Amino acid sequence: MQRMGMVIGVRPEKIDEYKRLHAAVWPDVLEQIHNSNIRNFTIFLREPENLLFGCWEYHGNDFDADMAAMARDPRTREWWTHTDPCQSPLASRAEGEQWSMMEEVFHTD
């Protein structure tokens, strides 16, 4: 298992919409997340900086393949047409990233 964290901006005028969307995530999207070996996925909001922090546990063996499968899923792609306009990717993100991945520097149970 690998813990992963990521960050992205959220447009201030879209915060309520983003919260509304995530209060009722489509079952097909939740199933795809599970099928992509992601567990314990949480998104936190930090205001007034308007940052979203996401973290999850990855339980698979091939992260790139699992993320590619998610990106091919038609229902997830449709979901992203609703969530992506709410987000404001960081200028410092790596090429091809929507959310900027973070380095884990500490963990305790």
Side-chain angles (χ1 to χ4, degrees):
M1 185 275 297
Q2 179 183 2
R3 286 177 300 280
M4 303 176 88
M6 63 220 105
V7 66
I8 195 168
V10 61
R11 299 179 193 287
E13 71 278 9
K14 297 284 192 174
I15 290 173
D16 288 340
E17 180 179 353
Y18 197 80
K19 287 180 179 181
R20 180 186 57 76
L21 286 165
H22 286 84
V25 178
W26 302 344
D28 296 347
V29 171
L30 294 174
E31 181 179 358
Q32 181 60 54
I33 290 169
H34 182 83
N35 291 343
S36 295
N37 296 303
I38 293 171
R39 307 290 183 273
N40 297 319
F41 187 5
T42 305
I43 299 173
F44 296 91
L45 169 64
R46 172 63 185 179
E47 293 182 279
E49 292 85 354
N50 302 322
L51 294 173
L52 297 171
F53 167 71
C55 58
W56 64 43
E57 295 173 351
Y58 177 67
H59 288 260
N61 297 314
D62 189 340
F63 182 73
D64 291 337
D66 283 333
M67 294 306 98
M70 183 180 292
R72 287 190 306 270
D73 177 62
R75 199 69 171 133
T76 300
R77 292 173 66 88
E78 182 182 355
W79 172 256
W80 290 342
T81 69
H82 297 279
T83 59
D84 285 4
C86 299
Q87 299 169 348
S88 180
L90 302 183
S92 61
R93 72 188 185 276
E95 186 176 334
E97 281 185 335
Q98 175 77 2
W99 288 68
S100 298
M101 298 305 291
M102 302 172 74
E103 175 186 0
E104 181 179 326
V105 295
F106 176 77
H107 173 80
T108 185
D109 285 325

